[in-house]
């Protein structure tokens, strides 16, 4: 598929996740076959105020292309300026977040609250499209709640204002992440627009990805929570959709090797103290489901050095029951 003039080769993209999809994780997922990556969302207002953290979040790595920088906000002019600034970090695509349900984002009248104001959403989309010379995409949900599902109308408005593709998370803002994804809404949006539609939500297995493709007719699937501690799911999806079968999950030993490599890369970029704080949540995801590892969860939650993490990884591989 293509998003504007950007070619996407593969079957599954990495979804933007705050506090998760930093450069080390995006590179890791890319190595496992992610077709396209989107970084952590960046505050347009933060960019306008020269916020250092916002600028750090925009950094990309040469090996992760094609990739997108995602911005959020509710003022067309500020969003346009943030998009222009993002170009200095060499993204292939600018993505606009209009679907985040987090209270902090909602309070700032950004994210999924924009689904209550499609006209403003259209103005923001147009402002960003007019400001940059690369494709602009929009990510949103099925609606604010069950009584106001307006994703089809919303999709048409973003398309009319120049969006090159859209990503639809098949839940309302009120549903957050709990109920099953609304496949019918994704199908309806796909049938309503001419631009590519990326289906997002409840992709935890290769079979889930195939079902999303088969039922909705979407152009690409995007995976979020399903790859936490499981970056190899991208290669499994690619295998399954290419040949109808896929490799099993790695052994506990291999999982620990991936985790330690991931931790090393985080610490190289963020330093030992910050890096070890970051890897703790990933360590819990990597060890989830490994027999007997639950007894070590408290230790993984407080690990402070790479040596401590290596020692815990060795304990995991020695667990026999």
């Amino acid at each position: 598929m293509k998003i504007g003039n950007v070619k996407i080769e593969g079957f599954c993209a990495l979804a933007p996740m705050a506090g998760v999809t930093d450069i080390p994780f995006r590179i890791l997922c890319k190595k496992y076959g992610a077709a396209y990556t989107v970084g952590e969302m960046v505050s347009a207002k933060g960019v306008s105020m020269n916020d250092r953290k916002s600028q750090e979040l925009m950094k990309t790595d040469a090996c992760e292309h094609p990739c997108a920088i995602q911005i959020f906000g509710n003022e067309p002019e500020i969003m346009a300026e943030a998009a222009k600034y993002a170009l200095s970090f060499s993204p292939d695509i600018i993505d606009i977040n209009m679907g985040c349900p987090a209270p902090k984002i909602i309070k700032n009248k950004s994210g999924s609250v924009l689904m209550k104001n499609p006209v403003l959403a259209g103005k923001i989309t147009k402002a960003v499209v007019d400001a940059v010379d690369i494709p602009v995409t929009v990510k949103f949900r099925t609606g604010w709640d069950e009584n106001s599902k307006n994703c089809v109308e919303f999709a048409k408005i973003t398309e009319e204002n120049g969006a090159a593709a859209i990503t639809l998370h098949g839940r309302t803002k009120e549903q957050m992440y709990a109920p099953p994804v609304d496949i019918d809404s994704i199908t309806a949006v796909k049938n309503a627009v001419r631009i590519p539609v990326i289906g997002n939500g409840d992709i935890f297995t290769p079979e889930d990805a195939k079902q999303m493709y088969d039922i909705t007719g979407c152009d690409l699937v995007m995976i979020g929570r399903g790859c936490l501690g499981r970056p190899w799911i991208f290669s499994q999806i690619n295998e399954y959709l290419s040949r109808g079968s896929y490799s099993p999950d790695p052994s506990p030993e291999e999982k620990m090797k991936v985790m330690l490599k991931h931790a090393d890369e985080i610490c190289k970029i963020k330093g030992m103290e910050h890096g070890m704080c970051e890897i703790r949540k990933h360590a819990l995801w990597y060890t989830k489901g490994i027999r007997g590892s639950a007894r070590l969860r408290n230790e993984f939650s407080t690990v402070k050095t790479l040596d401590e993490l290596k020692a815990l990884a060795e304990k995991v591989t020695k667990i026999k029951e």
Side-chain angles (χ1 to χ4, degrees):
M1 66 168 289
K2 280 189 174 183
I3 297 177
N5 61 351
V6 178
K7 189 174 184 180
I8 309 293
E9 297 181 346
F11 297 101
C12 195
L14 172 64
M17 291 178 280
V20 176
T21 51
D22 55 10
I23 287 178
F25 190 67
R26 297 198 306 268
I27 292 174
L28 180 61
C29 292
K30 189 71 177 179
K31 288 180 178 177
Y32 273 104
Y36 165 55
T37 65
V38 187
E40 301 172 75
M41 62 181 179
V42 180
S43 166
K45 185 164 286 186
V47 173
S48 72
M49 299 172 67
N50 295 315
D51 175 60
R52 183 175 179 181
K53 182 179 178 181
S54 298
Q55 295 170 354
E56 285 289 319
L57 290 174
M58 285 188 168
K59 289 183 177 178
T60 64
D61 188 90
C63 72
E64 67 172 307
H65 297 284
C67 63
I69 290 175
Q70 187 187 73
I71 58 175
F72 73 91
N74 62 4
E75 299 171 88
E77 298 81 7
I78 292 178
M79 288 287 280
E81 288 302 314
K84 285 194 286 188
Y85 181 78
L87 296 180
S88 62
F89 296 94
S90 303
D92 301 284
I93 293 166
I94 297 294
D95 186 53
I96 304 174
N97 184 318
M98 296 188 182
C100 180
K104 179 180 176 181
I105 305 301
I106 298 300
K107 185 177 180 180
N108 288 323
K109 299 181 180 179
S110 301
S112 56
V113 76
L114 289 170
M115 297 205 70
K116 289 184 171 184
N117 192 341
V119 173
L120 176 58
K123 290 179 179 178
I124 290 172
T125 303
K126 187 176 189 308
V128 174
V129 169
D130 290 345
V132 298
D133 58 359
I134 60 174
V136 174
T137 59
V138 183
K139 189 173 190 288
F140 54 96
R141 287 178 168 246
T142 57
W144 180 259
D145 56 29
E146 282 294 319
N147 297 318
S148 57
K149 285 189 175 182
N150 61 340
C151 54
V152 171
E153 172 200 1
F154 204 84
K156 290 179 178 179
I157 287 174
T158 58
E159 180 182 38
E160 290 166 1
N161 283 281
I166 54 178
T167 301
L168 181 61
H169 183 137
R171 294 183 177 90
T172 66
K173 177 269 174 188
E174 291 296 325
Q175 290 174 322
M176 300 291 283
Y177 303 98
V181 67
D182 181 357
I183 290 285
D184 291 340
S185 286
I186 298 175
T187 304
V189 167
K190 173 58 186 172
N191 292 334
V193 298
R194 297 180 298 277
I195 56 177
V197 173
I198 302 170
N200 176 221
D202 283 357
I203 307 294
F204 293 98
T205 67
E207 290 85 358
D208 292 336
K210 186 175 188 301
Q211 181 182 38
M212 179 73 80
Y213 273 116
D214 290 347
I215 295 177
T216 69
C218 65
D219 301 278
L220 188 69
V221 298
M222 180 171 277
I223 185 166
R225 292 171 298 147
C227 68
L228 300 179
R230 303 170 62 229
W232 45 84
I233 192 173
F234 292 99
S235 61
Q236 290 176 324
I237 289 172
N238 289 339
E239 290 172 5
Y240 188 58
L241 294 178
S242 296
R243 67 183 192 218
S245 62
Y246 57 93
S247 304
D249 283 352
S251 65
E253 290 82 3
E254 286 300 314
K255 289 180 180 180
M256 292 301 93
K257 287 180 181 178
V258 174
M259 179 189 72
L260 291 173
K261 177 65 174 174
H262 186 182
D264 187 55
E265 292 301 318
I266 290 179
C267 289
K268 283 180 182 177
I269 292 176
K270 301 184 179 182
M272 182 65 72
E273 184 176 356
H274 189 183
M276 293 312 299
C277 286
E278 286 290 316
I279 198 61
R280 289 170 189 164
K281 58 178 176 281
H282 289 282
L284 296 178
W285 292 324
Y286 278 115
T287 55
K288 185 178 180 180
I290 296 179
R291 182 180 298 177
S293 65
R295 71 185 71 165
L296 300 174
R297 293 182 73 82
N298 286 339
E299 292 180 71
F300 276 112
S301 297
T302 58
V303 66
K304 295 180 180 179
T305 68
L306 283 173
D307 286 339
E308 288 180 14
L309 186 64
K310 289 175 184 176
L312 284 173
E314 288 177 6
K315 286 185 181 181
V316 169
T317 60
K318 291 177 181 177
I319 292 173
K320 301 300 180 184
E321 58 180 35

